[in-house]
């Protein structure tokens, strides 16, 4: 079985899907609202030193399901329109779409699922194991990318007599891998707990697309000032005189089993092909480190570094292409007819995510290494009302090649008893003022969100569902 994904369409669809997913949260591998909830084993996803009160066995495929999407500009009100129009450039040139954009438009999608998980006490130490699948997608798209599209449709103030268009504003990265982890935490004295987890990584896919520079300059005659290149007729095209120059610097690198590049008659990349079944295309290792320290009975400080590691992708499963070219279209020369037609083809679709515009050429495949998205965590909590109420502040900073995300969360948790608890949180940096979170512990079930859905204007939303069976008796070593 062979699957073809033509890059002219595929790259546009990849960006459109990221846009479409925008209203659904950042940091989806973990949930900040549950960080201060006693007895919730999911806290170890944010700090391996946070020992739960007892052991557990996660329900297969339901131990921890966490997903979220975040955007600084696209709201859920536009979700249906973007999905419906993902195959057409017309929607992306409309005032409705353009008016919601910022100069930089950041998009982040994360999904994590614990397929298997368990934890248990051995003497004073706590062991835990997990088998999980994770998917991350990050993009940063500048507004001028879409202004470029508008110009090709005759919707710009730029006249084709002397146009000067430029963008360096597109980067998208999608990665997926499976991890098998073993963690251990142990108290040292009455105040300090140290924890660590080592993870074997099995890479499924990693695609990285980047536009560093696309510049177009024209000096044309015999053409309407704001000609729409998608509707220009053959007769109108024949009357165009002068020159146009397009410079492009871009790259596309990907790793996945059975991945290869398809090229056109000029040896330019015009598609990505994949054959066979999906398997592991790379292998790596990662680690988490954490610590908690009690200043007193009521106050605890904590810190962690998560996802320090890398994946090395095999040469046979990796494709690479790039462009650094300047193309001159001479509408007056010997090959004027061919140049006119090539320029129309390049501009007609109005797609900045367009292999004709990028002119990528395949390169020799090489082994490549990618880093994990490392996260730094700092927390402080204060207990009162006989430890039933916990107030806390949590800082998380997630480092990425495309986007770096920082969040500051204030949270409060109240435990009615050992089995039932509720938490409220407010995350103030990524939510455009709508970062209210809610967590519920109902026996073996944990439900939580860092960003509740507040209707069509929501730009950041997350959801966590975790179900685990408690094992063993309560342990006093946990903090």
């Amino acid at each position: 079985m062979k699957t073809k994904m033509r890059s002219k369409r595929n790259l546009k669809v990849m960006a459109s899907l990221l846009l479409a997913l925008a209203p659904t949260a950042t940091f989806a591998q973990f949930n900040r609202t549950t960080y201060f909830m006693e007895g919730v084993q999911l806290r170890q996803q944010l700090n391996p030193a946070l020992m739960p009160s007892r052991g557990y066995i996660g329900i297969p495929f339901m131990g921890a399901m966490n997903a979220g999407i975040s955007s600084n500009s696209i709201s859920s009100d536009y979700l249906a329109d973007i999905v419906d129009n993902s195959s057409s450039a017309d929607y992306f040139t409309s005032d409705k779409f353009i008016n919601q954009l910022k100069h930089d438009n950041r998009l982040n999608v994360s999904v994590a699922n614990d397929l298997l998980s368990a934890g248990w006490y051995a003497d004073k130490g706590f062991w835990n194991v997990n088998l999980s699948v994770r998917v991350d997608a990050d993009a940063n798209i500048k507004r001028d990318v879409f202004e470029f599209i508008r110009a090709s449709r005759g919707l710009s103030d730029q006249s084709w007599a002397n146009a000067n268009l430029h963008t360096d504003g597109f980067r998208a990265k999608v990665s997926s891998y499976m991890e098998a982890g073993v963690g251990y935490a142990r108290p040292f004295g009455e105040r300090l707990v140290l924890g660590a987890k080592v993870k074997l990584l099995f890479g499924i896919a990693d695609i990285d697309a980047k536009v560093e520079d696309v510049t177009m300059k024209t000096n044309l005659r015999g053409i309407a000032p704001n000609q729409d290149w998608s509707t220009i007729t053959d007769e109108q095209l024949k009357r165009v005189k002068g020159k146009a120059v397009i410079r492009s610097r871009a790259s596309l690198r990907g790793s996945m089993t059975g991945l290869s590049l398809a090229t056109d008659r000029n040896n330019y990349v015009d598609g990505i092909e994949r054959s066979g079944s999906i398997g592991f295309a790379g292998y790596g290792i990662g680690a988490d480190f954490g610590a908690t320290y009690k200043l007193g009975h009521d106050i605890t400080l904590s810190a962690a570094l998560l996802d320090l590691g890398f994946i090395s992708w095999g040469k046979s499963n990796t494709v690479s292409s790039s462009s650094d070219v300047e193309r001159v279209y001479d509408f007056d020369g010997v090959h004027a007819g061919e140049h006119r037609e090539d320029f129309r083809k390049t501009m007609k679709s109005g797609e900045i995510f367009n292999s004709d515009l990028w002119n990528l050429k395949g390169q020799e495949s090489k082994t490549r290494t990618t880093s994990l998205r490392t996260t730094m965590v700092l927390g402080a909590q204060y207990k009162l009302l006989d430890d039933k109420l916990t107030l806390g502040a949590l800082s998380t900073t997630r480092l990425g090649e495309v986007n770096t995300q920082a969040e500051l969360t204030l949270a409060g948790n109240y435990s009615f008893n050992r089995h039932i608890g509720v938490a409220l949180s407010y995350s103030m940096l990524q939510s455009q003022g709508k970062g209210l979170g809610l967590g519920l512990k109902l026996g073996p079930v944990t439900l939580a969100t860092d960003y509740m859905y507040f209707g069509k204007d929501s730009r950041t939303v997350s959801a966590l569902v975790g179900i685990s069976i408690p094992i063993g008796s309560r342990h006093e070593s946990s903090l």
Side-chain angles (χ1 to χ4, degrees), residues 153-396:
R153 291 299 174 91
L155 300 174
S156 170
D157 294 335
Q158 292 271 0
S159 169
W160 293 113
N162 190 19
N164 187 353
L165 298 168
H166 168 77
T167 182
D168 58 359
F170 173 62
R171 176 81 184 271
K173 184 176 174 62
V174 181
S175 62
S176 175
Y177 61 92
M178 181 178 290
E179 69 172 41
V182 178
Y184 182 72
R186 182 182 178 86
F188 292 84
E190 297 181 354
R191 296 179 180 271
L192 177 66
V193 177
L194 298 178
K197 174 175 279 191
V198 177
K199 303 179 283 191
L200 296 179
L201 309 176
F202 305 89
I204 299 171
D206 185 273
I207 307 295
D208 190 352
K210 177 169 59 176
V211 172
E212 297 182 70
D213 175 26
V214 174
T215 300
M216 181 176 64
K217 297 182 179 181
T218 67
N219 186 4
L220 301 178
R221 308 179 305 278
I223 186 172
N226 302 109
Q227 176 66 54
D228 181 348
W229 287 90
S230 68
T231 61
I232 192 170
T233 66
D234 291 339
E235 288 300 318
Q236 289 173 320
L237 187 64
K238 288 178 182 179
R239 292 196 293 268
V240 180
K241 303 293 182 181
K243 288 185 179 181
V245 178
I246 296 179
R247 175 175 174 77
S248 60
R249 284 192 297 122
S251 63
L252 173 65
R253 293 177 174 82
S255 299
M256 192 176 185
T257 55
L259 204 63
S260 62
L261 297 175
T263 58
D264 61 17
R265 58 182 175 83
N266 296 317
N267 246 0
Y268 290 115
V269 175
D270 71 347
I272 303 174
E273 297 179 349
R274 204 197 68 77
S275 59
S277 58
I278 295 177
F280 298 131
Y283 301 90
I285 190 168
D288 301 337
F289 300 96
T292 67
Y293 185 79
K294 280 189 174 182
L295 292 180
H297 175 76
D298 299 327
I299 301 175
T300 301
L301 304 180
S302 58
L305 276 176
L306 310 176
D307 292 329
L308 294 167
F310 65 91
I311 298 177
S312 180
W313 304 88
K315 174 181 177 180
S316 61
N317 297 314
T318 296
V319 297
S320 179
S321 60
S322 65
S323 67
D324 189 353
V325 297
E326 184 174 278
R327 289 157 289 157
V328 178
Y329 301 86
D330 186 353
F331 296 173
D332 300 323
V334 176
H335 302 289
E338 181 181 340
H339 285 197
R340 290 191 190 100
E341 191 57 48
D342 285 347
F343 188 77
R344 173 165 67 174
K345 179 186 175 185
T346 299
M347 299 302 297
K348 183 176 181 179
S349 68
E351 299 172 10
I352 189 65
F353 318 103
N354 182 346
S355 60
D356 293 330
L357 195 61
W358 292 21
N359 268 19
L360 297 167
K361 282 202 171 184
Q363 300 173 323
E364 180 184 358
S365 296
K366 297 180 180 179
T367 299
R368 57 193 288 257
T369 299
T370 58
S371 300
L372 302 185
R373 292 162 172 78
T374 300
T375 300
M376 297 181 291
V377 181
L378 296 173
Q381 69 178 51
Y382 177 70
K383 292 184 177 181
L384 59 162
L385 299 181
D386 294 327
D387 294 346
K388 288 184 175 295
L389 177 64
T390 301
L391 303 177
L394 185 66
S395 168
T396 53

Side-chain angles (χ1 to χ4, degrees), residues 415-464:
S415 297
F416 294 94
N417 52 48
R418 294 178 179 180
H419 308 289
I420 300 177
V422 61
L424 288 174
S425 69
Y426 180 72
S427 298
M428 58 188 67
L429 301 183
Q430 299 287 334
S431 62
Q432 294 82 42
K434 299 180 179 180
L436 186 63
L438 175 66
L440 296 173
K441 180 181 183 299
L442 305 171
V445 179
T446 301
L447 305 173
T449 175
D450 288 331
Y451 305 97
M452 296 177 65
Y453 179 70
F454 285 103
K456 62 183 182 180
D457 292 329
S458 298
R459 290 174 171 81
T460 305
V461 185
S462 68
L464 165 72

Side-chain angles (χ1 to χ4, degrees), residues 4-219:
K4 287 191 176 183
M5 301 179 288
R6 292 298 180 187
S7 63
K8 179 175 180 178
R9 174 173 170 76
N10 184 60
L11 294 172
K12 177 175 182 290
V13 169
M14 178 167 62
S16 298
L17 286 175
L18 286 167
L19 287 167
L21 289 170
T24 317
T26 59
F27 309 130
Q29 282 78 17
F30 44 76
N31 182 274
R32 294 184 299 279
T33 302
T34 59
Y35 189 82
F36 302 109
M37 294 186 75
E38 296 292 339
V40 175
Q41 51 87 9
L42 301 175
R43 302 192 306 157
Q44 286 200 305
Q45 294 179 346
L46 263 172
N47 189 329
L50 292 176
M51 302 164 65
S53 56
R54 59 194 301 186
Y56 65 89
I57 297 177
I59 300 297
F61 300 94
M62 293 291 291
M65 298 179 61
N66 208 341
I69 303 167
S70 175
S71 171
N72 68 327
S73 57
I74 310 296
S75 66
S76 62
D77 186 33
Y78 297 91
L79 175 61
D81 285 345
I82 292 173
V83 173
D84 291 342
N85 294 279
S86 61
S87 61
S88 170
D90 291 337
Y91 176 77
F92 300 98
T93 63
S94 67
D95 291 339
K96 177 181 179 180
F97 177 79
I98 292 294
N99 289 340
Q100 67 184 311
L101 298 178
K102 300 180 183 296
H103 176 71
D104 284 288
N105 301 278
R106 297 184 300 276
L107 307 162
N108 303 91
V109 181
S110 293
V111 179
N113 187 12
D114 277 354
L115 307 180
L116 300 170
S117 61
W120 64 94
Y121 274 95
D123 194 17
K124 292 185 178 181
F126 186 82
W127 290 90
N128 67 92
V129 295
N130 72 288
L131 180 66
S132 306
V133 174
R134 295 169 59 161
V135 180
D136 289 291
D138 299 317
N140 194 316
I141 307 173
K142 291 187 177 179
R143 181 188 175 102
D144 58 20
V145 168
F146 300 99
E147 295 293 352
F148 201 113
I149 302 174
R150 285 170 62 87
S152 73
R153 291 299 174 91
L155 300 174
S156 170
D157 294 335
Q158 292 271 0
S159 169
W160 293 113
N162 190 19
N164 187 353
L165 298 168
H166 168 77
T167 182
D168 58 359
F170 173 62
R171 176 81 184 271
K173 184 176 174 62
V174 181
S175 62
S176 175
Y177 61 92
M178 181 178 290
E179 69 172 41
V182 178
Y184 182 72
R186 182 182 178 86
F188 292 84
E190 297 181 354
R191 296 179 180 271
L192 177 66
V193 177
L194 298 178
K197 174 175 279 191
V198 177
K199 303 179 283 191
L200 296 179
L201 309 176
F202 305 89
I204 299 171
D206 185 273
I207 307 295
D208 190 352
K210 177 169 59 176
V211 172
E212 297 182 70
D213 175 26
V214 174
T215 300
M216 181 176 64
K217 297 182 179 181
T218 67
N219 186 4

